[in-house]
Amino acid sequence: MTDTPTRRRLLSAARVKKLPSWSVLAAGALAGTLVGGAYGLFTPATYTATSYVVAVPTAKSTPEAARGFAQAYGRVATQLAVLGDAQVWAGVPVRTLQEQVRTATSPDAPMVAVSATSTRPGLAVDMANAVSRALTQHADHSKNNTQVQLVQFSRAVKPSSPTSASPTVTALVGASAGGLLGGLALLARPRRTRREDDPAPVPSVPGPATAADVHGQR
């Protein structure tokens, strides 16, 4: 007799159930390693360049005011008014600058860090410097009102190594994630229940009392 498709599926499921629990964890970790390694291998590396501008108070201002305006300039650096001028020097659309340029400020120093990320190191440098230049020009137009001048502190330099994760790191992350999913699958799998054709458990019956016990009770 030939096995029907249903019987073959039942036999395959039975073989899978006989596998040890650790095999699910190993399979998940292996799959995660392959996926993570492939992601890191085929995803282009990205580079980040950072330039710095500093807010300098005039004779009519204070360092506290300079720190406050540095916070404000850090928020407006990625606005359309600044990026519209920066796109001319960077040679990329405004949308690219909006997606790939970020700013950071510190409450302790009147400084703004302008970081740009790109798959090309030279383009990352151009974008960071272009946004810093546009920001200082916008600040210069209003320095008579703010009494704070924004000047270039440090230009961005070409990064020597990528800032994105290497294939080794992504493979390790994938292995950890795959092992975790495998463990969750073990915890979520249904437990084996007694089927109707399984023999019912035989209740334990106490054995007959011995003669010594009978005499002892008299």
Side-chain angles (χ1 to χ4, degrees):
M1 293 180 61
T2 59
D3 293 339
T4 62
T6 303
R7 181 178 178 82
R8 286 196 295 269
R9 286 195 297 268
L10 293 176
L11 291 175
S12 299
R15 294 191 186 98
V16 172
K17 290 181 179 180
K18 292 181 181 180
L19 293 176
S21 300
W22 61 264
S23 63
V24 178
L25 297 176
L30 178 60
T33 301
L34 295 177
V35 173
Y39 175 82
L41 186 62
F42 294 106
T43 301
T46 56
Y47 299 82
T48 301
T50 304
S51 63
Y52 298 90
V53 294
V54 61
V56 180
T58 63
K60 298 180 181 180
S61 184
T62 61
E64 290 75 14
R67 285 195 295 267
F69 277 105
Q71 299 287 330
Y73 286 134
R75 288 189 290 268
V76 303
T78 54
Q79 300 299 316
L80 186 60
V82 177
L83 298 183
D85 294 338
Q87 69 172 342
V88 179
W89 300 308
V92 295
V94 173
R95 184 177 182 86
T96 301
L97 294 176
Q98 290 176 331
E99 294 175 351
Q100 301 181 0
V101 174
R102 296 292 181 268
T103 60
T105 58
S106 172
D108 301 324
M111 186 175 293
V112 182
V114 180
S115 300
T117 303
S118 176
T119 55
R120 292 182 291 168
L123 182 57
V125 173
D126 292 340
M127 289 191 297
N129 289 331
V131 174
S132 296
R133 179 180 176 183
L135 183 61
T136 55
Q137 286 190 355
H138 277 265
D140 188 65
H141 295 331
S142 58
K143 67 179 181 179
N144 292 331
N145 298 324
T146 62
Q147 299 300 320
V148 172
Q149 184 179 4
L150 203 63
V151 297
Q152 184 87 38
F153 180 78
S154 175
R155 291 180 58 85
V157 296
K158 188 175 181 179
S160 59
S161 59
T163 54
S164 56
S166 64
T168 302
V169 175
T170 56
L172 292 176
V173 174
S176 301
L180 178 60
L181 292 177
L184 294 176
L186 288 177
L187 295 176
R189 66 176 180 176
R191 296 182 180 275
R192 184 179 181 274
T193 57
R194 189 176 65 85
R195 298 180 301 178
E196 294 181 356
D197 55 349
D198 288 344
V202 179
S204 58
V205 179
T210 60
D213 294 336
V214 174
H215 290 296
Q217 293 177 358
R218 292 180 179 177

